Amino acid sequence: MASRFAAWRIAPLVLDVDDLPTRDMVVRGSGLFRTVKRRLKTALLGSWQAFVASRAKVSFMANSEELGELPECTQRVHLPNVAPEPSPDYRFDGPEERLLITVGVMEHLPNALGVDWFVTNVWPAFHAAHPEMRYAVIGRDAPKGLVSKWRTVDGVEVVGYVKDLQPWYARACAVVSPVLEGSGTSVKVPEACLHGRPVLATRFSVRGIPEGDCGSLDIALFDSADSFVRAYSALAGRPPSEIYARRECQLAAARARFGGEAFFSRVKEALDA
């Protein structure tokens, strides 16, 4: 739209980029059709993308990995997704249950497919080792066929839409983010961090977050049942003093990176430059 009407001739152009147009949806597998489609799309959109970006006053990028893909003549600023912070009465130190949760809009197919991969390939081995644990899938409009399948799995609860997520975050001992494909950046990982909950995530789920920052945000990565069991065992083995210290560190890092105050400060600094 900006390029069609040459918006930069009217007022300074600001781009808010969740995904660059040349970044095709990252998917598992790579057939011939997908490969040809990706190359054609990149060829057609590459010059247009550079043209528009070169006329922007600033380009805000949600994914830090894409900063180098825009022309150097534009101001490129990494602006992580802002996530909703809990209300003042939220209890970070309330009683936790033997409960893992995944939160997301399940009609978005990458979310549902990620949960399905987790329920099929990770949860059975984990639940066999930890039969006391439960796993709740929270989010609206999951495909009916997958819902029926998940409900047959021991320890799995399909909750559906929830108006207030805070009680679920407060009860959970950790949040699972099992996304393996899709586009954009996952806002539910920052949201979990701002609610003071450890996150067990696939690498794709935390795209845009440097791996070196995962420690301070209390994010542990997994890609299989074995690595998930190890990540959870390390989490469950923490003494109370370490739990408190890690939560304080996590909250400070999450607020500095994903909080509203930090978000608006970055925007103002870039626009004033």
Side-chain angles (χ1 to χ4, degrees):
M1 187 66 73
S3 62
R4 181 174 183 179
F5 295 102
W8 51 86
R9 297 177 183 172
I10 304 170
L13 177 63
V14 175
L15 297 181
D16 182 15
V17 183
D18 194 33
D19 262 317
L20 288 171
T22 48
R23 283 262 178 144
D24 202 357
M25 285 188 69
V26 179
V27 294
R28 288 176 287 171
S30 56
L32 177 61
F33 176 76
R34 287 175 175 171
T35 300
V36 172
K37 176 185 174 183
R38 187 177 300 112
R39 289 178 178 175
L40 284 174
K41 183 177 180 180
T42 300
L44 290 171
L45 292 178
S47 59
W48 169 82
Q49 175 179 286
F51 172 78
V52 175
S54 67
R55 281 152 179 78
K57 172 182 173 65
V58 59
S59 296
F60 292 113
M61 315 284 291
N63 190 340
S64 62
E65 298 169 0
E66 297 183 353
L67 287 173
E69 297 183 30
L70 288 184
E72 294 183 3
C73 56
T74 185
Q75 182 188 183
R76 298 158 296 176
V77 176
H78 179 216
L79 187 65
N81 277 327
V82 63
E85 298 188 48
S87 61
D89 61 349
Y90 174 78
R91 290 192 61 186
F92 292 95
D93 58 350
E96 298 176 2
E97 300 176 12
R98 297 296 186 185
L99 173 67
L100 302 175
I101 64 173
T102 289
V103 180
V105 177
M106 292 299 149
E107 69 175 349
H108 181 54
L109 195 54
N111 289 342
L113 292 177
V115 169
D116 189 58
W117 171 81
F118 180 79
V119 169
T120 303
N121 298 287
V122 178
W123 179 256
F126 173 76
H127 195 242
H130 298 278
E132 77 285 0
M133 296 297 297
R134 294 179 297 121
Y135 176 52
V137 182
I138 303 170
R140 61 180 172 86
D141 297 332
K144 292 181 179 179
L146 293 181
V147 170
S148 298
K149 173 185 173 183
W150 299 341
R151 283 180 171 158
T152 66
V153 179
D154 191 28
V156 176
E157 177 183 2
V158 183
V159 178
Y161 171 76
V162 170
K163 185 175 182 179
D164 184 7
L165 291 170
Q166 288 192 165
W168 285 94
Y169 279 123
R171 291 164 52 199
C173 62
V175 175
V176 179
S177 184
V179 180
L180 296 168
E181 58 190 88
S183 60
T185 53
S186 176
V187 73
K188 291 305 179 183
V189 171
E191 184 176 289
C193 294
L194 287 167
H195 282 78
R197 289 297 171 260
V199 179
L200 305 172
T202 57
R203 186 68 189 89
F204 190 86
S205 289
V206 295
R207 59 203 180 280
I209 300 176
E211 191 167 343
D213 291 349
C214 287
S216 61
L217 291 167
D218 207 6
I219 298 171
L221 303 180
F222 73 95
D223 58 9
S224 65
D226 288 343
S227 58
F228 185 84
V229 170
R230 289 195 299 271
Y232 175 79
S233 297
L235 169 67
R238 295 174 180 173
S241 59
E242 182 182 350
I243 293 174
Y244 177 80
R246 279 182 173 267
R247 185 165 295 163
E248 290 297 302
C249 177
Q250 179 192 41
L251 290 172
R255 287 165 180 159
R257 187 178 185 89
F258 308 118
E261 185 176 337
F263 180 89
F264 290 114
S265 176
R266 292 189 187 98
V267 171
K268 184 178 186 304
E269 182 179 348
L271 294 179
D272 289 344

